[in-house]
Amino acid sequence: MKPTASVRRTSARHLLTVGLVASLALVSACTKSEDDSAKGDSASPQNDAGQVVSSPSTGSGPSCALDAYGGEKLDLKNATVGFSQSEKEANPFRIAETASLKAEAGKRGVKLLTANAQSQFSKQISDVQDLIAKGADLLVIAPLNSDGWEPVLRAASAKHIPIVTIDRKINATACKDYVSFIGSDFVEQGKRAADQMIEATGGKGEIAILLGAAGNNVTTERTKGFEQRIKEKAPDLKIVFRQTGDFAREKGQSVTENLIQSKPGITGIYAENDEMGLGAVNALKGAGKKPGAVKIVTIDGTRNAVQGIVDGWIQGVIESNPRFGPLAFQTLDTFTRGEKVSQDIVIEDSSYTGSNARADLGKAY
Ligand code: GZL
């Protein structure tokens, strides 16, 4: 298990309302034990706005510094940061992610240029090239796809523009094509979702997977973790259906409508993000099903999905925290001061079930 910068989440967020510097003191590199993450009782330190605030230099993996990457020291306050968002801001995950970057830039008085690729990869490549042309000294990229970044990375590295990727990984070389990756452990998320599905179904029956969009590591890894854990721990739980819902609510609904026609006795549905899970709920409601008749487990931690647990439609949600603002800027700040940052900064996510959904609804985004 890769070491992660984390501190056990206290029971109430207000206990964690510490400034970024103070919370860095709280952070300790540790390796998640399988049990800890299964229990889901650990999460990266968050400030009172739910922003992830782990330290950028705590991970014990390989690091990156200016002398290796190339480029000059910069004072972030006098720099321009370009942020490239991947998907349209219809998904609360993207809304919260962009808001977090904007809030941190505002707090630090840093000039931020933003672009949104509206879920079109070719547009994201041209967005990043435009941000460079507009004078971005540093880039934060939330990549739509994992492959196809060579053109823009070449343009950026020719100008020694530091790049931090958040959320999804790109298939490129750390500390050469980009400085650091900041995001969740998606295989772990899949495993924890499987634990919740096993709990909800008693480990028996037939289940379906609503796959995320193709072409990115999140879908691949959430599927891998889930299927691995089901195989390990619940041989009587059969995965009988897999189809992509493209991380979208409408498609999640239409795929589920077809699913319950072809498999009316389906026991459970694992949706690889909340939007598809909420689409599945709409399909079940439309078919006259009762809450809980089909066990649903999703990943993200959006407000509507956690409310779905309270209402009985959804049995579990694994958080995928998108509020990378403080950590992304802290990483850029540390790096441009000439200090080392980890190439892989993996955050830990919390989770929601019937036992904490109502109390923790305010932590959802
Ligand atoms: C996960 C992120 C995924 C979210 C979806 O970090 O890449 O993309 O889980 C979003 O909601 O579409």
Side-chain angles (χ1 to χ4, degrees):
M1 184 64 53
K2 82 178 76 165
T4 60
S6 72
V7 67
R8 196 166 293 286
R9 175 196 282 250
T10 54
S11 56
R13 183 186 307 283
H14 64 271
L15 293 178
L16 274 180
T17 50
V18 287
L20 182 58
V21 174
S23 61
L24 291 183
L26 291 175
V27 171
S28 61
C30 68
T31 303
K32 275 186 298 203
S33 78
E34 204 75 356
D35 296 345
D36 270 358
S37 43
K39 282 201 301 273
D41 61 358
S42 71
S44 291
Q46 299 181 1
N47 59 23
D48 55 358
Q51 310 282 338
V52 178
V53 289
S54 306
S55 156
S57 52
T58 310
S60 60
S63 60
C64 186
L66 265 176
D67 53 359
Y69 187 81
E72 305 297 319
K73 286 187 179 180
L74 282 172
D75 176 354
L76 210 49
K77 271 210 179 322
N78 303 326
T80 298
V81 175
F83 172 52
S84 165
Q85 177 56 282
S86 55
E87 293 177 310
K88 57 178 81 111
E89 304 209 1
N91 177 344
F93 181 96
R94 297 298 166 191
I95 295 168
E97 189 176 47
T98 299
S100 176
L101 267 294
K102 286 182 175 174
E104 188 64 16
K107 197 168 145 190
R108 289 169 171 261
V110 175
K111 185 180 177 194
L112 182 71
L113 302 174
T114 62
N116 187 302
Q118 300 300 323
S119 308
Q120 299 155 55
F121 187 58
S122 57
K123 184 179 184 304
Q124 185 162 35
I125 293 295
S126 55
D127 281 350
V128 173
Q129 288 164 335
D130 289 350
L131 289 168
I132 294 173
K134 286 175 184 166
D137 304 302
L138 307 106
L139 290 168
V140 177
I141 299 176
L144 183 70
N145 291 355
S146 298
D147 294 310
W149 283 97
E150 291 73 12
V152 78
L153 297 177
R154 217 166 297 126
S157 64
K159 296 184 174 184
H160 292 309
I161 295 174
I163 298 176
V164 165
T165 62
I166 59 173
D167 175 29
R168 300 178 183 179
K169 286 204 96 162
I170 59 174
N171 293 327
T173 308
C175 208
K176 177 178 174 293
D177 301 320
Y178 65 94
V179 172
S180 293
F181 158 77
I182 306 173
S184 298
D185 180 337
F186 302 110
V187 173
E188 196 60 32
Q189 290 178 345
K191 289 181 177 177
R192 293 169 68 194
D195 289 339
Q196 289 192 346
M197 182 60 81
I198 293 167
E199 173 80 20
T201 59
K204 288 189 177 55
E206 294 189 333
I207 56 178
I209 304 180
L210 296 181
L211 299 164
N216 64 79
N217 66 305
V218 176
T219 300
T220 317
E221 293 174 16
R222 282 180 181 168
T223 306
K224 178 181 167 195
F226 184 85
E227 295 188 339
Q228 210 172 45
R229 185 60 68 96
I230 293 293
K231 192 169 167 220
E232 270 165 24
K233 292 178 68 178
D236 295 335
L237 205 49
K238 304 295 179 198
I239 300 172
V240 297
F241 178 97
R242 294 170 181 81
Q243 192 172 334
T244 185
D246 280 339
F247 282 137
R249 190 177 300 200
E250 305 71 27
K251 189 143 183 208
Q253 178 170 342
S254 60
V255 169
T256 303
E257 284 161 354
N258 296 336
L259 164 68
I260 53 184
Q261 288 295 321
S262 61
K263 296 190 180 301
I266 197 78
T267 314
I269 297 173
Y270 164 47
E272 293 184 339
N273 86 323
D274 286 357
E275 283 300 292
M276 295 189 292
L278 292 164
V281 170
N282 289 342
L284 295 170
K285 284 178 176 173
K289 300 276 186 181
K290 293 278 176 275
V294 178
K295 307 304 180 192
I296 296 179
V297 173
T298 78
I299 300 180
D300 268 346
T302 61
R303 192 71 47 97
N304 289 335
V306 179
Q307 183 62 47
I309 297 178
V310 175
D311 299 341
W313 284 102
I314 293 176
Q315 278 59 50
V317 177
I318 302 297
E319 180 190 52
S320 194
N321 195 330
R323 297 169 283 207
F324 295 107
L327 189 47
F329 276 90
Q330 182 64 54
T331 302
L332 290 173
D333 195 12
T334 304
F335 180 75
T336 49
R337 289 168 189 273
E339 296 161 30
K340 281 194 299 187
V341 294
S342 302
Q343 292 179 10
D344 257 329
I345 302 169
V346 179
I347 65 168
E348 288 195 20
D349 299 298
S350 63
S351 62
Y352 301 88
T353 61
S355 61
N356 72 327
R358 192 180 296 278
D360 286 354
L361 188 59
K363 295 173 186 169
Y365 50 87

